[in-house]
Structures are given as C-alpha cells and as structure tokens.
Amino acid sequence: MLKPKEYKPRLIEKHLDEYLNSFGAVCIEGPKYCGKTWTARSRAKSAAFIGDPQNNFQMRTMAQLSPDLVLKGEVPQLIDEWQEVPPLWDAVRFEVDINGGKGKYILTGSTAPNHRGVMHSGTGRISKVKMNTMSLYETGDSSGLISLKELFDGDIEPKITGDIRVEELIYYSVRGGWPENISVSADHAENLAKEYLKTVIDDDMFKVDGVRRDINKVWSLVHSLGRNESTIVKNSTIIKDIAEKEGLSIDSDTVTEYLNIFRRLFIIDNQASFSTELRSKRRILKSAKRHFVDPSLAVAAIGATKEMLLNDLNTFGFIFESLCEHDLKIYAEYYGGKLFHYRDDKAKEVDAIIEFQDGRYGAFEIKLGVNQIDKAAEELLSFKKMMEHNGDSVPKVLCVISGMSNMAYKREDDVIVVPITALRP
C-alpha cells in the first residue's frame, strides 16, 4: 500500500471499499485538497501521477501518446488527476471491459470534465464516489459521543459533552476541513481558503474550458454567494445583490455559466429541497439552500476574519449553520442517506432534513446558542404537528444541533439536543 504515514482515516473509505469490490474501477471526485489522492493511496499498490512535473511531465506525455501505457502498474492502481488526459477514462473502461476483475483502478479528479475526448460513460465499469472536506469527527474535533444512527434507532442517552467556546467554533469554520490545514494555528488558518478562491478564479476556471472571464464579475458573484451562504435565494436575487452591493451589472446567463463552472470545480454544494410531493398537498418551494463546499470558503468569500466573526455573531450564525450542514451531509451519506432542507409556501422552514433509503427521515434545527434551543424545539414540534395534520409521514427524529450546549440529551417533549462537537455517523 502507498498510504502516507500521516494519513487520517476518512469516512468515505466505507463506500470506496464497497465500490472497489463491485466495479472494475472507482473514480473519486471532489474539490482540490480535500484528500482524494491520499485516500486513494491508502488503497492503491501503484500509482500514475498525471500531474507529476518530473522529466518534463513524462507521465502526462506518455498518457497523451497512448493512454494504455500508464495502466501497467500493480492493481489497485491509482490514476491521479485523470481528467488532464480525458482519453484515460476510455482506456480504463476498455481494460476493465476486456480483462475483467474488480477494484483494478482508482481514478481521482478535482474537475468534472466536459466529456470532450471521452467516448463512453463507463456505466457498469467505473463507479463514482463524491468526496468532501473533512468533518469535525474526521479532524478529531468532535468527540463522537453521539451517533447519528443512534438518534434514528432511539438509543440516545444523556451525556456530558463538555464546554465549547464560540472562539473554537469560529476557528473550525475559518480553518475548514482541509486536511493540510488541520494543525494550522488560529492566526494563520484563514490563509488557505483565501488563496484557494484566488487560485480558482485566476487559474482553475480558465483550465476548465480555456475561456477567459471577467475577473471582477466572478469575484462579485463569489462575494454574493458568501453573503447568501446558508440561505435560499434565486439567481435573480443574486443578480440584484451584486448590483446593490458591488455596483456591477451581470446578466442571468453569465451567473448560470459561472455557477456551472463552480460546480464542475466542486467548490459549491447546494442543499436541495426536501420533496414531499407524494405525501403532501402543500406546495413545496424547490429553491436550493446556497452552500460553498466548505464553510471556510464562505468565510473567505466575505473577507471575514475570526475577530470579525466574533464581533458579528449574527453573521457567524449562518457560517455555523454551514459548518453543521456540511457535517450532517457527510454523516448521512455514510449510511446512504441524503441531506435536504424544507420550506413551503406558508413560510414553514426546517434547517436540515436527513432522509434514508428506507423512507425514514429526521428534522434538524441548527442553533449556535443554548438560549435558542427552546424556540428551535417549538419549531420542530410545529413541523411534526403539521405533517400529522396533513396525513403525511412524520419525522422519526426531531433534533436541535447546538454549538454551545455542554451535553446531549432528550427533552421531555422528545426533542433531542446534540452539540455538533459530539456528533458522528
């Protein structure tokens, strides 16, 4: 194995192993620096690094001349940043097709290709696994005393989880879940996300399709997305926000184009609306909740520092919600679940809905302070009552995810309170 000594286990390993046993190849996709290569190395016996500059990018040149030349290593073989030579996809698919076998190749990619030079989808041969930045449980900043699975199984018992200062939560948000940033001090934690956005705008967007874009307009969109982090706004609202706050005019087609590029670079990861069409007469609003793929990017997008967030806890509330929903998604997907939000035409909202494949779902409200828990519990109980009244299926779990609570417990009204720093899958 090529596993680095400093490697920290990742929750995505569960699905990676499942797919390696089921498919000839697996492609790990996700944002740059989220740990794809190291996770792939933890399972690989050989590797072809397409972006390696050694000998004037010899590996890339070899792949361009004849992709099958790089597929000669011991399996499982890592093909890192395969999208730099798109025909590698077809070469892997063809090799698996002809010679069979499971778990032969692990591809990694930080940009979704535009499919130029890719002839076959790879269906049945190459499976895709989406990787995110690290959750608090993976970084070691969550004790993991409370399991998401236990919440749904009804096994929650009161536990003292310890005091958490708001400064710590701000640090986790500013630092983000980037593996290379975990041990960075609070004084320097914000630098990675800032430089990340600069690299995306100055270099990566051009590399995707070779188109030069208006840098000022791109930055204006990034700033607006930061201001609207963890909110439900349409593109038209984004355009209006840019005009009012940035003094720039940007049309709908341009916004859509830029957002598509951001998706292909895996830097935005919006939270879809929970659909109850099959079991409710209410009109459910379909707009997604806006999210950067990591809360640190939202902080960088608005140019905030840890001191600024400490002095503006209202703004930090949205960043904290982003942090929690980032982790909830990772924990839900560990069990094959999905993360949604709920909002209907009567202004009834729920911050997060986790739904599993068996139809069970839970409703979660996210609150930074303990003084907000009672109100959050009322909102969750009101949501459950509304679902019952409409004859809909009711949530299996009602839970308040808290920032400052020092214990996990079930209230007398059956609403569960769990600190985000105590949660795990």
Side-chain angles (χ1 to χ4, degrees), residues 1-4 36-44 49 78:
M1 293 293 180
L2 305 176
K3 180 188 293 187
K36 300 182 299 298
T37 301
W38 276 34
T39 296
R41 286 175 60 186
S42 75
R43 299 303 193 266
F49 296 99
L78 163 61

Side-chain angles (χ1 to χ4, degrees), residues 35 64 133 195 221 254 293 315 319 321 425:
Q64 291 169 336
T133 56
E195 290 303 314
L221 176 58
T254 301
V293 75
T315 295
I319 302 297
E321 183 177 337

Side-chain angles (χ1 to χ4, degrees), residues 275-327:
S275 176
T276 60
E277 288 183 351
L278 296 179
R279 49 182 184 268
S280 177
K281 297 178 180 179
R282 280 204 167 203
R283 188 169 72 87
I284 311 302
L285 304 185
K286 299 300 183 184
S287 297
K289 186 184 290 188
R290 302 280 181 173
H291 283 304
F292 280 96
V293 75
D294 188 271
S296 65
L297 295 180
V299 175
I302 59 175
T305 63
K306 61 183 187 300
E307 292 83 8
M308 293 167 65
L309 293 175
L310 185 60
N311 292 322
D312 186 355
L313 292 182
N314 182 57
T315 295
F316 178 61
F318 291 100
I319 302 297
F320 177 69
E321 183 177 337
S322 175
L323 172 72
C324 293
E325 287 166 348
H326 168 274
D327 284 14

Side-chain angles (χ1 to χ4, degrees), residues 17 85 354 381 393:
D17 290 340
V85 184
I354 290 178
L381 291 167
S393 60

Side-chain angles (χ1 to χ4, degrees), residues 92 97 119 130 193 326 341 364 367 405 424:
V92 169
D97 224 10
M119 296 175 59
K130 178 72 177 297
H326 168 274
H341 75 90
F364 297 77
K367 301 297 178 184
S405 175
R424 63 177 170 87

Side-chain angles (χ1 to χ4, degrees), residues 360-380:
R360 293 183 302 161
Y361 74 98
F364 297 77
E365 282 290 299
I366 297 168
K367 301 297 178 184
L368 178 61
V370 293
N371 60 323
Q372 300 170 300
I373 291 176
D374 286 343
K375 182 179 179 181
E378 291 176 6
E379 293 170 349
L380 290 170

